[in-house]
Amino acid sequence: KVIWTLLVTVLGSASSLPVGDDSICTAEELAKYSIIFTGKWSQTAFPKQYPLYRPPAQWSSMLGVTHSSDYSMWKKNEYASNGVRDFAEKGEAWVLMKEIEEAGEKIQSVHGIFSAPAISSGTGQTFTELEAHSRHPLVSFVVRIVPSPDWFVGIDSLNLCEGDHWVEEVSVDLYPYDAGTDSGFTFSSPNFATIPQDTVTEITCSSPSHPANSFYYPKLKILPPIAQVTMVKLKKNQLGLPAFNLNLPDKSNEIIDSVSETPLDCEVSQWSSWGLCRGPCRKTGTKIRTRFVLLQPANNGIPCPNLDEETACEPENCV
């Protein structure tokens, strides 16, 4: 933790300012923001295959950067960098931080790096502060979904400057993304590299269109947001103080889940073959076939049907 803090501090203070003038943002040179990340990944909102242990649902630390339009941490429909791949798959930040440092040194597009602690549950809050510059008014960050193959949430190049003033407050709902580097369908899928690498894509309730997908809810039109981020501009007398609108309990970072329930219907297997016909010779007997539950229903979803069925038959091979 000490090394992480020192590295973030050094990189943030050593980043160069760009040579050229952006001319788009004419607000005061520097602005500080409190950034609050709220996890909304609850079993109520996302009941399918919800990770309860080994490990339970949780969020990695946040890694973000303030930058100009010359830099991109990640972008939808483009290939993830090696640093984003390592972060999305394993939560390892060193390669990504090196990429950010090199971008700051070579093309002077990075102003500062920021990070926030991990959240040990699917629902909770974490926060930190960031500094934006009039020539570096864009914010990008990533937070890994844990456990997952290579899934994350984040923001790509959100502009905090509007002409001659800084945005006072902004909130953005976050949805899951696939980094395109691992081919797993479920939260607990084993590591299986995607070859060739695919682009970063948004995961929706119908894409990937596969019943095994942990976010596959074909009856929904859109997934509920799995997280939310809020950025609030700090006044000078607030600098260095905790975010004023955090609603954290005394001994936990758990928050009250206000997301509406997502119904999950029961899923069952195909019928087995019919069993042997049982009964006395020359009289009507019965035979049975069975099926089993693939997915238990939740949140008032359609209950499971009968798992066995019998029908009349005539016994064969009677003596």
Side-chain angles (χ1 to χ4, degrees), residues 35 82 84 101 135 179 197 205 247 262 284 297:
I35 178 169
N82 290 334
V84 171
E101 179 186 15
R135 300 185 210 170
Q197 181 177 334
C205 56
N247 184 24
T262 299
T284 301

Side-chain angles (χ1 to χ4, degrees), residues 39-93:
K40 295 187 174 183
W41 184 18
S42 68
Q43 192 171 10
T44 301
F46 300 92
K48 187 175 182 180
Q49 303 166 358
Y50 189 81
L52 295 174
Y53 57 91
R54 296 182 182 178
Q58 57 191 276
W59 299 96
S60 76
S61 58
M62 172 193 291
L63 180 61
V65 59
T66 53
H67 59 95
S68 70
S69 57
D70 294 324
Y71 172 78
S72 176
M73 174 181 274
W74 66 275
K75 196 172 290 292
K76 182 179 177 180
N77 298 327
E78 294 188 5
Y79 293 105
S81 68
N82 290 334
V84 171
R85 178 200 63 202
D86 285 357
F87 192 88
E89 288 188 11
K90 299 173 284 188
E92 296 177 358

Side-chain angles (χ1 to χ4, degrees), residues 174-189:
L174 304 177
Y175 299 89
Y177 280 89
D178 186 321
T181 61
D182 193 293
S183 297
F185 270 125
T186 67
F187 296 119
S188 57
S189 292

Side-chain angles (χ1 to χ4, degrees), residues 153-169:
V153 298
I155 278 180
D156 166 35
S157 303
L158 176 67
N159 196 341
L160 294 177
C161 183
E162 293 183 345
D164 61 354
H165 67 279
W166 294 100
V167 175
E168 291 294 326
E169 181 174 346

Side-chain angles (χ1 to χ4, degrees), residues 278-298:
R278 299 184 181 278
C281 289
R282 293 178 291 280
K283 292 186 178 180
T284 301
T286 59
K287 59 182 178 180
I288 297 174
R289 64 179 182 175
T290 61
R291 56 188 174 183
F292 57 90
V293 175
L294 295 172
L295 189 65
Q296 292 287 353

